[in-house]
Short mmCIF file of all heavy atoms in Angstrom, two decimals:
data_model
loop_
_atom_site.label_atom_id
_atom_site.label_comp_id
_atom_site.label_asym_id
_atom_site.label_seq_id
_atom_site.Cartn_x
_atom_site.Cartn_y
_atom_site.Cartn_z
N LYS A 124 17.61 31.37 74.40
CA LYS A 124 18.93 31.99 74.37
C LYS A 124 19.77 31.50 73.20
O LYS A 124 20.90 31.95 73.01
CB LYS A 124 19.70 31.69 75.68
CG LYS A 124 18.98 32.09 76.95
CD LYS A 124 18.84 33.60 77.06
CE LYS A 124 18.11 33.99 78.34
NZ LYS A 124 17.78 35.41 78.42
N ASP A 125 19.25 30.55 72.42
CA ASP A 125 19.98 30.02 71.25
C ASP A 125 21.36 29.48 71.61
O ASP A 125 22.38 29.90 71.04
CB ASP A 125 20.15 31.11 70.17
CG ASP A 125 18.83 31.43 69.51
OD1 ASP A 125 18.08 30.48 69.19
OD2 ASP A 125 18.53 32.63 69.34
N ILE A 126 21.39 28.55 72.55
CA ILE A 126 22.68 27.96 72.91
C ILE A 126 23.21 27.11 71.75
O ILE A 126 22.46 26.75 70.84
CB ILE A 126 22.58 27.08 74.19
CG1 ILE A 126 21.69 25.86 73.97
CG2 ILE A 126 22.14 27.91 75.38
CD1 ILE A 126 21.91 24.76 74.98
N PHE A 127 24.48 26.76 71.85
CA PHE A 127 25.13 26.01 70.77
C PHE A 127 24.49 24.64 70.57
O PHE A 127 24.14 24.26 69.46
CB PHE A 127 26.63 25.88 71.06
CG PHE A 127 27.34 24.92 70.16
CD1 PHE A 127 27.39 25.16 68.80
CD2 PHE A 127 27.94 23.79 70.67
CE1 PHE A 127 28.03 24.26 67.95
CE2 PHE A 127 28.58 22.88 69.84
CZ PHE A 127 28.62 23.13 68.48
N SER A 128 24.36 23.87 71.68
CA SER A 128 23.83 22.52 71.49
C SER A 128 23.24 21.92 72.76
O SER A 128 23.77 22.12 73.86
CB SER A 128 24.98 21.63 70.99
OG SER A 128 24.62 20.29 71.07
N PHE A 129 22.16 21.18 72.58
CA PHE A 129 21.65 20.31 73.64
C PHE A 129 22.39 18.99 73.51
O PHE A 129 22.49 18.46 72.40
CB PHE A 129 20.16 20.01 73.40
CG PHE A 129 19.22 21.15 73.63
CD1 PHE A 129 18.99 22.09 72.64
CD2 PHE A 129 18.53 21.27 74.83
CE1 PHE A 129 18.10 23.14 72.84
CE2 PHE A 129 17.63 22.31 75.04
CZ PHE A 129 17.42 23.25 74.05
N ASN A 130 22.89 18.46 74.64
CA ASN A 130 23.41 17.09 74.60
C ASN A 130 22.28 16.20 75.10
O ASN A 130 21.97 16.19 76.29
CB ASN A 130 24.65 16.96 75.48
CG ASN A 130 25.84 17.69 74.87
OD1 ASN A 130 25.93 17.84 73.65
ND2 ASN A 130 26.74 18.17 75.71
N CYS A 131 21.63 15.48 74.18
CA CYS A 131 20.38 14.78 74.52
C CYS A 131 20.65 13.38 75.04
O CYS A 131 21.50 12.67 74.51
CB CYS A 131 19.48 14.72 73.30
SG CYS A 131 18.97 16.35 72.81
N GLU A 132 19.88 13.01 76.05
CA GLU A 132 20.16 11.76 76.75
C GLU A 132 19.04 10.74 76.63
O GLU A 132 19.10 9.66 77.24
CB GLU A 132 20.46 12.07 78.22
CG GLU A 132 21.51 13.18 78.37
CD GLU A 132 22.55 12.90 79.43
OE1 GLU A 132 22.64 11.77 79.90
OE2 GLU A 132 23.28 13.86 79.76
N SER A 133 17.96 11.04 75.90
CA SER A 133 16.93 10.03 75.62
C SER A 133 16.17 10.46 74.37
O SER A 133 16.16 11.65 74.02
CB SER A 133 15.97 9.85 76.79
OG SER A 133 15.22 11.04 76.99
N ILE A 134 15.53 9.48 73.72
CA ILE A 134 14.77 9.82 72.51
C ILE A 134 13.57 10.68 72.89
O ILE A 134 13.21 11.63 72.18
CB ILE A 134 14.31 8.51 71.79
CG1 ILE A 134 15.50 7.60 71.48
CG2 ILE A 134 13.51 8.85 70.52
CD1 ILE A 134 16.55 8.12 70.54
N GLN A 135 12.98 10.37 74.05
CA GLN A 135 11.83 11.16 74.50
C GLN A 135 12.23 12.63 74.68
O GLN A 135 11.46 13.54 74.34
CB GLN A 135 11.31 10.59 75.82
CG GLN A 135 9.94 11.10 76.19
CD GLN A 135 9.39 10.40 77.42
OE1 GLN A 135 10.15 9.94 78.26
NE2 GLN A 135 8.08 10.35 77.53
N GLU A 136 13.43 12.84 75.21
CA GLU A 136 13.90 14.23 75.37
C GLU A 136 13.97 14.94 74.01
O GLU A 136 13.57 16.10 73.89
CB GLU A 136 15.28 14.22 76.05
CG GLU A 136 15.86 15.63 76.21
CD GLU A 136 17.34 15.63 76.60
OE1 GLU A 136 17.81 14.70 77.28
OE2 GLU A 136 18.03 16.59 76.20
N ILE A 137 14.43 14.21 73.00
CA ILE A 137 14.54 14.84 71.66
C ILE A 137 13.14 15.21 71.15
O ILE A 137 12.94 16.29 70.58
CB ILE A 137 15.26 13.89 70.67
CG1 ILE A 137 16.66 13.56 71.20
CG2 ILE A 137 15.35 14.52 69.27
CD1 ILE A 137 17.41 12.50 70.38
N GLU A 138 12.17 14.32 71.41
CA GLU A 138 10.78 14.61 70.99
C GLU A 138 10.28 15.88 71.66
O GLU A 138 9.68 16.74 71.01
CB GLU A 138 9.85 13.46 71.43
CG GLU A 138 9.97 12.22 70.56
CD GLU A 138 9.25 11.02 71.22
OE1 GLU A 138 8.39 11.23 72.10
OE2 GLU A 138 9.57 9.89 70.83
N VAL A 139 10.55 16.00 72.97
CA VAL A 139 10.06 17.17 73.70
C VAL A 139 10.76 18.44 73.21
O VAL A 139 10.13 19.48 72.99
CB VAL A 139 10.26 16.98 75.23
CG1 VAL A 139 9.95 18.26 76.00
CG2 VAL A 139 9.39 15.83 75.73
N ILE A 140 12.07 18.35 72.98
CA ILE A 140 12.80 19.55 72.49
C ILE A 140 12.24 19.96 71.12
O ILE A 140 12.02 21.14 70.84
CB ILE A 140 14.32 19.29 72.42
CG1 ILE A 140 14.88 19.08 73.84
CG2 ILE A 140 15.05 20.45 71.75
CD1 ILE A 140 16.34 18.67 73.90
N ASN A 141 11.98 18.96 70.27
CA ASN A 141 11.44 19.25 68.94
C ASN A 141 10.11 20.01 69.04
O ASN A 141 9.89 21.02 68.38
CB ASN A 141 11.23 17.93 68.18
CG ASN A 141 10.69 18.16 66.79
OD1 ASN A 141 11.31 18.85 65.99
ND2 ASN A 141 9.50 17.63 66.51
N GLU A 142 9.25 19.49 69.94
CA GLU A 142 7.93 20.09 70.10
C GLU A 142 8.02 21.52 70.63
O GLU A 142 7.38 22.44 70.11
CB GLU A 142 7.20 19.21 71.11
CG GLU A 142 5.71 19.38 71.20
CD GLU A 142 5.23 18.42 72.29
OE1 GLU A 142 5.41 17.19 72.11
OE2 GLU A 142 4.72 18.92 73.31
#
Side-chain angles (χ1 to χ4, degrees):
K124 304 293 180 188
D125 289 316
I126 65 161
F127 169 62
S128 167
F129 288 84
N130 290 332
C131 295
E132 310 223 13
S133 65
I134 305 297
Q135 195 174 27
E136 178 192 330
I137 301 173
E138 284 168 19
V139 171
I140 295 174
N141 181 59
E142 195 181 298

